[in-house]
Amino acid sequence: GGIDFDKGCYLGQEIIARMQYRGAVSRRLFRGQSAGDVAIGETVKSQADKAIGSIVNSAGKAFLAVIQTKDDSDITCLVGESAPVTLVRVHPGKVA
């Protein structure tokens, strides 16, 4: 019931419209590696203990997270109970 194929909208239309009319996206994909294992759906917090995103994919200690930020630079945050982790922005089209 979440998608209506008869009304004329397409999947992702809101994001495309936001980018076109506002000129920016509010969330970005970052990669990181923690000291311990992380789980999909786990909350990522700023060093001020504010929720700023969540883990969307993980493979043991390596993970991908969607973070709510307009900044393109690397950020330091907290994931689970581990020490602070530095997240690196994933740039489309670049292989790291």
Side-chain angles (χ1 to χ4, degrees):
I3 300 175
D4 184 357
F5 292 104
D6 296 325
K7 75 176 195 169
C9 294
Y10 58 89
L11 196 58
Q13 182 175 1
E14 294 84 7
I15 295 168
I16 300 300
R18 185 177 301 123
M19 287 174 53
Q20 183 177 1
Y21 296 110
R22 285 187 159 176
V25 263
S26 60
R27 290 177 280 189
R28 300 184 185 281
L29 184 65
F30 287 83
R31 65 180 162 83
Q33 186 148 349
S34 68
D37 290 348
V38 296
I40 295 173
E42 196 169 339
T43 301
V44 177
K45 297 182 179 183
S46 67
Q47 290 193 351
D49 205 34
K50 178 183 172 191
I52 58 171
S54 63
I55 305 295
V56 294
N57 199 350
S58 70
K61 298 175 184 178
F63 62 89
L64 293 174
V66 173
I67 305 296
Q68 192 163 359
T69 180
K70 292 181 180 181
D71 193 5
D72 242 4
S73 61
D74 301 348
I75 58 172
T76 302
C77 62
L78 304 170
V79 178
E81 302 298 320
S82 67
V85 175
T86 299
L87 299 181
V88 179
R89 168 89 159 89
V90 175
H91 295 279
K94 285 190 175 180
V95 178

